[in-house]
Amino acid sequence: MFCVPSPVFGSMEQNVLGEDLQPCSTDPTTGFERDGCCGTHPQDRGRHELCAVMTEEFLEFSRQRGNDLVTPRPEFDFPGLEPGDRWCLCLGRWVEALEAVRDQRLPETTVPPVVLEATNEAVLDSVDRETLERHAYEPA
């Protein structure tokens, strides 16, 4: 599977490494358009552009902040997530977790690892590449 060219720009979107954006997940299928990719979209106010691997700590953190990512919501084509799933996160929620780890001394695993190849370059306007690389997903 490949990410399709952006409907807005008409060209292939890039990841934070400056390469073609790779799919984040098709099981479960993620992305604002549920196409598996963390693309940009003019109607996506949540900016689902960052591909992350869910952790138990992040899922609980998100639930405590009022965003339950575990419970399935079929009406939104949302299957519910579990640790290990890849998902196009709202950029703001990832940044919120990052800040909470720094400010509240939560476990480092509260910040879910980032799949750099599948994370849209658009996030670089809010998070620097070095920070993303420090939180890069490394398969076991």
Side-chain angles (χ1 to χ4, degrees):
M1 182 184 149
F2 297 96
C3 295
V4 298
S6 165
V8 176
F9 304 111
S11 61
M12 181 60 85
E13 293 192 66
Q14 301 291 295
N15 62 31
V16 296
L17 303 173
E19 302 164 347
D20 286 348
L21 185 65
Q22 299 300 307
C24 179
S25 176
T26 56
D27 185 22
T29 302
T30 189
F32 181 75
E33 296 194 19
R34 293 297 192 263
D35 60 0
C37 298
C38 302
T40 58
H41 193 281
Q43 295 174 328
D44 181 10
R45 288 183 266 149
R47 296 193 60 191
H48 296 82
E49 302 163 346
L50 186 141
C51 180
V53 179
M54 298 298 96
T55 64
E56 186 79 38
E57 293 82 1
F58 175 77
L59 292 169
E60 178 58 23
F61 172 83
S62 189
R63 187 190 63 74
Q64 289 175 358
R65 298 298 193 277
N67 187 21
D68 178 359
L69 296 173
V70 176
T71 303
R73 302 283 308 269
E75 67 273 24
F76 297 116
D77 195 24
F78 181 71
L81 302 176
E82 55 188 54
D85 285 343
R86 292 181 181 204
W87 194 252
C88 294
L89 280 183
C90 288
L91 177 58
R93 181 67 66 193
W94 189 86
V95 170
E96 183 181 15
L98 181 67
E99 291 171 351
V101 166
R102 291 177 183 162
D103 299 342
Q104 300 169 26
R105 298 188 179 170
L106 297 177
E108 186 67 30
T109 51
T110 304
V111 180
V114 178
V115 181
L116 299 174
E117 298 80 9
T119 295
N120 199 296
E121 70 179 348
V123 305
L124 294 173
D125 68 4
S126 299
V127 181
D128 61 60
R129 183 171 164 169
E130 293 77 25
T131 300
L132 295 170
E133 289 173 343
R134 278 197 305 275
H135 295 278
Y137 174 68
E138 297 181 21

